[in-house]
Amino acid sequence: AQSVSQHNHHVILSEAASLELGCNYSYGGTVNLFWYVQYPGQHLQLLLKYFSGDPLVKGIKGFEAEFIKSKFSFNLRKPSVQWSDTAEYFCAVTPNFGNEKLTFGTGTRLTIIP
Amino acid sequence: DTGVSQDPRHKITKRGQNVTFRCDPISEHNRLYWYRQTLGQGPEFLTYFQNEAQLEKSRLLSDRFSAERPKGSFSTLEIQRTEQGDSAMYLCASSLEGGVSFFGQYFGPGTRLTVT
């Protein structure tokens, strides 16, 4: 069975700082990888995804993530964060076949200080 | 596209009572998933439907839990004889078969259950 680790539980940054959130997964086969975001009071929204091709994927709101297969990692990055990026971020994985159920990490709470 | 909707948004119940939640997926989506999220954790898979067929259930889904998706449209999740450990956010998501790779799963706002 697959699993996802997010080692940063709570990250606090000042506006304009650069962001990198770690995500490592465990699975022996081909996977699809996702980052979801949950803004305060809102439901989970897809931020970006990787399923094949260029390992550097760009998502909404200036976020990007890089899939490094050899490291089983899919870290999320943003060069300059804004106060509005305050949210909870979840990394998720699904095998590249079958029922496509998502396995999520425990999430990283990001707090941006104005 | 009206998105995935869930009803009710909040439910407070006493231990031992039965509760039922409803999920309305995006209309053209044939796959529907239920997840449970507790405080400080990511969502955990409970069960999924392809059209009206329930194709997989997690070990998390005890005998007190039952889900249905009649006619392959909306779905209900029932919990019988609720326990305090059932307190959580119950999330519904939908997707097109084979569409997760391209579009991801679309999540509803969730139903927050509190068992007192």
Side-chain angles (χ1 to χ4, degrees), chain A residues 37-51:
Chain A
V37 61
Q38 188 166 27
Y39 297 104
Q42 298 187 26
H43 51 235
L44 281 165
Q45 302 171 40
L46 183 63
L47 198 55
L48 50 77
K49 57 178 169 46
Y50 170 82
F51 59 94

Side-chain angles (χ1 to χ4, degrees), chain B residues 83-112:
Chain B
E83 301 173 356
Q84 287 189 321
D86 297 331
S87 295
M89 178 75 87
Y90 290 84
L91 299 169
C92 178
S94 71
S95 72
L96 282 169
E97 181 180 354
V100 173
S101 300
F102 298 95
F103 307 115
Q105 290 178 14
Y106 291 82
F107 281 81
T111 294
R112 182 170 295 284

Side-chain angles (χ1 to χ4, degrees), chain A residues 1-51:
Chain A
Q2 61 268 29
S3 65
V4 177
S5 297
Q6 291 182 248
H7 302 294
N8 311 109
H9 298 294
H10 188 192
V11 173
I12 302 173
L13 294 172
S14 298
E15 274 191 310
S18 64
L19 169 72
E20 182 161 3
L21 301 182
C23 172
N24 288 90
Y25 69 94
S26 172
Y27 184 70
T30 305
V31 296
N32 300 315
L33 294 154
F34 305 84
W35 276 96
Y36 278 84
V37 61
Q38 188 166 27
Y39 297 104
Q42 298 187 26
H43 51 235
L44 281 165
Q45 302 171 40
L46 183 63
L47 198 55
L48 50 77
K49 57 178 169 46
Y50 170 82
F51 59 94

